[in-house]
Amino acid sequence: MDPALILVQRENEWLLQRLREIWLEQQSDGLEAADSATLADEQLTPGGTIGRYVTCTEGFKKELSALERTVTTYVGREKPSRPLNLLLAANPGSGKSFLVKELSKQISGDTEFLEYYVASFRKIDDLFSIFQRIQSLNLEGKLPFVLLDVVDGKVAGEYIFATLLAPLWDGVFHIGQERHHLGRAVLFFAASALLSSPSIQNVVGKTDQEVTYTEFAEKWRRKVKAELQASEIPKARDFIDRIDLLLCIPPIDFTISDGDPAREYKLLACILVKKHFPRVTRIEKSVIWILILELLNSGSRRRAESVVFCSTDPQGSDFDLAHLPADIVEYFRDDEVVKATKNNYISLP
């Protein structure tokens, strides 16, 4: 087994136990309230915070509202002199791309989402093709929403921060002796090596020490500030100085006291099914629980989404255990929650 996966499983052991207890308790309460043969479906309304992007952490909801207001204000300006610069911090697979895509859909006007991985660049000059693409979209009357992932990765042995400074703050870039205006753009950056990990273990230390999201984010920002002071990455602090808003996507954990992990994992699992099978309006609870286990074991959404992607099309509105890949069903068939939640459904709008 992958050592990294073992570490993730150990970190999530306490969270998994709590979630298992909640699911079994809820199932028991439901069966006591009604005969199992006539048990009414649980209703789940996945109210999005930004579009279909959901969070059940109250403090983070406020930051997302602030993010949307900031972007809306920028878009409302007639001719901003530079792009709006935003930096995202999140654990891998936390839905950064999905958040930016959903935000772009919420903004009035003609927007276009672009995503680039700095690690795939062969030379720093590859950035200029992105700048030129932003120019072209502006000429077409479109507003670019651009996500530059792994912005702290090296390209040809160098960091790209020095090349980003003028476009971010002055709204210009140079090709040879020519000076070009970038135009309007909402630029999102994601970094890992540059920023302290926003994990519970790194920020809080002990999983039995509860904090609100606001407290968690403040602790994290203090760590980032301290680490940046000691950083030897060229121009890293200058890059951070040009960021208009720094957003920390929190982990889903009971340590965040103003969150609701049980509901948020349930929503995530349902959204993954709806994404690939839009006709589905009822999902068997055992399916949702298996997807939650995949979300926990992989530490990201990607593994759980792969399970859904490889499932058979239900050709209708119900998605149950029989539609999941056979090897996945076999692997989890003896799980106590899977056995307890068979033939019990969650209904979606």
Side-chain angles (χ1 to χ4, degrees):
M1 181 179 289
D2 183 349
L5 181 57
I6 294 173
L7 176 61
V8 169
Q9 289 176 325
R10 287 174 180 169
E11 288 178 350
N12 285 326
E13 187 177 347
W14 179 73
L15 173 60
L16 174 60
Q17 185 58 35
R18 287 285 302 276
L19 288 171
R20 189 182 298 276
E21 290 170 359
I22 289 171
W23 271 70
L24 289 172
E25 182 179 346
Q26 289 176 345
Q27 186 68 9
S28 176
D29 290 345
L31 289 172
E32 289 177 5
D35 180 81
S36 59
T38 60
L39 187 65
D41 295 346
E42 178 184 343
Q43 300 293 320
L44 186 66
T45 304
T49 305
I50 291 181
R52 292 181 299 159
Y53 185 91
V54 297
T55 179
C56 296
T57 303
E58 295 303 318
F60 186 48
K61 286 181 183 179
K62 294 177 182 177
E63 291 218 359
L64 288 177
S65 295
L67 167 66
E68 190 167 9
R69 286 195 303 271
T70 299
V71 173
T72 301
T73 299
Y74 174 81
V75 172
R77 294 176 182 165
E78 187 175 351
K79 289 184 178 180
S81 61
R82 63 172 178 82
L84 178 65
N85 309 313
L86 307 117
L87 182 58
L88 300 177
N91 293 311
S94 297
K96 299 185 293 293
S97 298
F98 186 62
L99 170 58
V100 178
K101 286 178 185 176
E102 290 299 301
L103 178 59
S104 69
K105 294 175 185 176
Q106 295 298 109
I107 301 301
S108 60
D110 195 355
T111 64
E112 183 156 337
F113 172 73
L114 305 172
E115 183 174 12
Y116 301 96
Y117 292 90
V118 172
S120 68
F121 292 0
R122 294 185 177 181
K123 54 187 184 300
I124 291 180
D125 286 354
D126 288 348
L127 267 175
F128 296 128
S129 63
I130 298 175
F131 298 154
Q132 290 172 320
R133 177 63 176 148
I134 291 172
Q135 279 186 317
S136 297
L137 288 171
N138 271 283
L139 290 173
E140 295 171 17
K142 296 181 179 180
L143 176 64
F145 275 69
V146 184
L147 173 59
L148 271 172
D149 207 353
V150 199
V151 71
D152 48 0
K154 286 187 176 182
V155 179
E158 298 181 41
Y159 293 100
I160 67 170
F161 297 126
T163 310
L164 288 170
L165 299 184
L168 266 59
W169 199 247
D170 302 317
V172 299
F173 63 98
H174 296 82
I175 298 179
Q177 299 298 316
E178 296 183 358
R179 174 185 170 100
H180 301 267
H181 287 277
L182 188 61
R184 290 198 316 162
V186 181
L187 303 183
F188 286 85
F189 301 93
S192 53
L194 178 66
L195 301 176
S196 186
S197 169
S199 67
I200 291 295
Q201 288 71 25
N202 184 48
V203 177
V204 181
K206 297 181 179 179
T207 55
D208 58 351
Q209 177 185 345
E210 289 190 354
V211 293
T212 63
Y213 169 78
T214 301
E215 293 168 334
F216 175 85
E218 180 57 31
K219 283 175 177 281
W220 174 79
R221 288 188 174 101
R222 286 201 298 267
K223 285 180 72 73
V224 168
K225 185 176 180 180
E227 291 175 8
L228 280 174
Q229 291 298 324
S231 174
E232 296 182 357
I233 299 178
K235 302 297 183 180
R237 278 178 283 180
D238 293 326
F239 168 74
I240 294 292
D241 284 343
R242 285 159 172 76
I243 295 299
D244 297 302
L245 190 148
L246 174 58
L247 186 70
C248 177
I249 299 178
I252 307 173
D253 197 282
F254 286 99
T255 302
I256 308 293
S257 59
D258 58 334
D260 186 350
R263 176 173 170 77
E264 187 158 351
Y265 274 117
K266 190 181 295 184
L267 283 169
L268 282 174
C270 290
I271 287 170
L272 290 177
V273 174
K274 286 285 285 185
K275 176 181 177 181
H276 294 284
F277 303 107
R279 293 190 302 272
V280 168
T281 57
R282 288 206 324 162
I283 308 173
E284 193 174 8
K285 284 188 176 182
S286 56
V287 169
I288 295 172
W289 176 248
I290 287 175
L291 294 179
I292 289 173
L293 292 175
E294 293 291 355
L295 286 164
L296 284 167
N297 283 337
S298 66
S300 82
R301 304 182 187 197
R302 296 187 184 105
R303 171 59 188 165
E305 184 159 3
S306 293
V307 170
V308 175
F309 187 76
C310 294
S311 297
T312 57
D313 192 329
Q315 301 293 320
S317 60
D318 288 0
F319 191 98
D320 56 41
L321 207 59
H323 296 110
L324 290 179
D327 58 332
I328 297 294
V329 175
E330 176 62 22
Y331 186 82
F332 290 110
R333 67 182 175 84
D334 292 327
D335 183 274
E336 57 184 336
V337 179
V338 170
K339 290 190 288 187
T341 54
K342 284 182 178 179
N343 302 316
N344 192 193
Y345 289 79
I346 286 179
S347 292
L348 301 174

